[in-house]
Amino acid sequence: QVQLVESGGGWVQPGGSLRLSCASAIDIASANSMNWYRQAPGKERELVARISSDDSLNYLDSVKGRFAISRDNAKNTVYLQMNSLKPEDTAVYLCNTVYVTKWAVRDYWGQGTQVTVSS
């Protein structure tokens, strides 16, 4: 059962912008965190941005000042605004949500959306 669906990826020239969306089938207001990861060919998956339940934000150092994560609880959607894109931002971007209760930790993943930055 698909819980998260990403969209908004594509090809863009260096310096351009893209906005990724992650639509959740589950209420995101109760999520402990919502995260964007990325994975480039031959590289490990890395956490790009996180928005926690208290709205605190965390970013990978290399994207600070260029990327912004946000969420719309009414739409159960998380966004990643990516500006000043660089070729090294090329990767598959994946959305992840984490729910923590006293009984279990559950996390969900989207299928990923490709972002390609090149001239």
Side-chain angles (χ1 to χ4, degrees):
Q1 185 176 1
V2 177
Q3 304 291 358
L4 300 173
V5 179
E6 300 103 332
S7 61
W11 173 83
V12 64
Q13 292 185 333
S17 297
L18 285 174
R19 187 193 195 202
L20 305 184
S21 299
C22 172
S24 174
I26 303 175
D27 173 39
I28 66 170
S30 59
N32 288 80
S33 68
M34 302 199 68
N35 311 291
W36 283 99
Y37 285 80
R38 69 186 181 188
Q39 187 161 21
K43 295 187 177 180
E44 293 187 355
R45 185 174 295 183
E46 60 183 358
L47 177 63
V48 176
R50 167 175 290 156
I51 182 167
S52 299
S53 57
D54 61 358
D55 287 330
S56 60
L57 306 176
N58 295 95
Y59 294 98
L60 182 68
D61 283 347
S62 62
V63 308
K64 286 180 180 177
R66 299 189 297 122
F67 290 12
I69 188 171
S70 62
R71 66 183 181 190
D72 185 335
N73 289 348
K75 296 181 179 180
N76 284 328
T77 300
V78 179
Y79 304 97
L80 185 67
Q81 178 66 44
M82 305 186 295
N83 300 324
S84 302
L85 282 160
K86 304 176 180 180
E88 52 263 43
D89 295 318
T90 295
V92 174
Y93 284 71
L94 302 108
C95 181
N96 163 256
T97 57
V98 180
Y99 297 80
V100 179
T101 69
K102 60 181 179 180
W103 302 282
V105 176
R106 295 182 178 179
D107 70 326
Y108 301 94
W109 291 87
Q111 80 288 351
T113 186
Q114 177 70 46
V115 171
T116 302
V117 185
S118 72
S119 54

